[in-house]
Amino acid sequence: MKKAIIIASIFLSIIACKKEIKDIGTPSSKLDGIQAKWGLTSCTMIDELSLVKEATSMGEFLTAKKAPNITFETVGGIKKYTVDTANVLVNFFQAPSGTWSFDNDEYPTMVKFIPDGGVEFSLPLGATVRTVDTFLKLRKPVYCGGELKFSYVLEFERK
């Protein structure tokens, strides 16, 4: 009898503990979140063939003279980007300007770049960017012979 009372009281206490669901409001726009001026804060090269994904900081090499900046904006309904790559040793964006878009505006995982006079390419996002976020992380995979060899992880800070 005591066991039945103990089991019943445990069961009733579990049922009585309902988790309260709170409304977090409307999700912030990812399109608004990325539209800003961003400055490169770090660049890491990751060996994708290594079992432990060895990483090497490339920031000082890439920014020996000047750190690159990128700006995302919408002008007249057209999503444009500009990159300040003067005196930057490696340019990941092909041209100093072009257009951009997300693969999915509500749940983006990639940014598609169409450089002026260049070839379209996409860079995976490290995380979606909201208006309150101060960091933007992009990954530049490098393939050789159809095989992923290494990646650059570019980390930008909102200016």
Side-chain angles (χ1 to χ4, degrees), residues 15-75:
I15 292 175
C17 296
K18 289 185 179 179
K19 192 171 188 177
E20 185 179 332
I21 298 173
K22 296 180 182 179
D23 184 12
I24 60 170
T26 306
S28 63
S29 168
K30 307 327 181 257
L31 292 169
D32 292 342
I34 199 169
Q35 294 191 59
K37 293 182 180 191
W38 302 89
L40 185 71
T41 56
S42 74
C43 177
T44 306
M45 186 171 80
I46 299 172
D47 181 357
E48 299 290 354
L49 298 177
S50 168
L51 291 174
V52 293
K53 304 289 185 209
E54 295 176 36
T56 302
S57 175
M58 300 296 292
E60 291 180 17
F61 171 73
L62 290 176
T63 62
K65 295 182 181 181
K66 181 180 174 188
N69 300 306
I70 187 166
T71 302
F72 293 95
E73 59 188 342
T74 300
V75 179

Side-chain angles (χ1 to χ4, degrees), residues 27 30 102-110 125 128:
K30 307 327 181 257
F102 284 137
D103 59 338
N104 180 320
D105 288 344
E106 290 184 34
Y107 306 104
T109 60
M110 299 190 111
L125 282 166
T128 57

Side-chain angles (χ1 to χ4, degrees), residues 1-13:
M1 181 80 159
K2 285 184 179 182
K3 285 183 182 180
I5 293 173
I6 291 172
I7 291 173
S9 62
I10 291 172
F11 180 72
L12 290 173
S13 64

Side-chain angles (χ1 to χ4, degrees), residues 90-143:
V90 178
N91 182 359
F92 294 103
F93 301 96
Q94 297 179 27
S97 63
T99 59
W100 67 274
S101 63
F102 284 137
D103 59 338
N104 180 320
D105 288 344
E106 290 184 34
Y107 306 104
T109 60
M110 299 190 111
V111 180
K112 180 171 72 173
F113 294 88
I114 304 173
D116 294 337
V119 178
E120 177 182 314
F121 65 97
S122 295
L123 298 180
L125 282 166
T128 57
V129 182
R130 302 165 300 167
T131 54
V132 296
D133 294 329
T134 57
F135 291 99
L136 168 66
K137 188 184 286 189
L138 298 171
R139 188 167 89 35
K140 171 74 172 168
V142 178
Y143 293 88

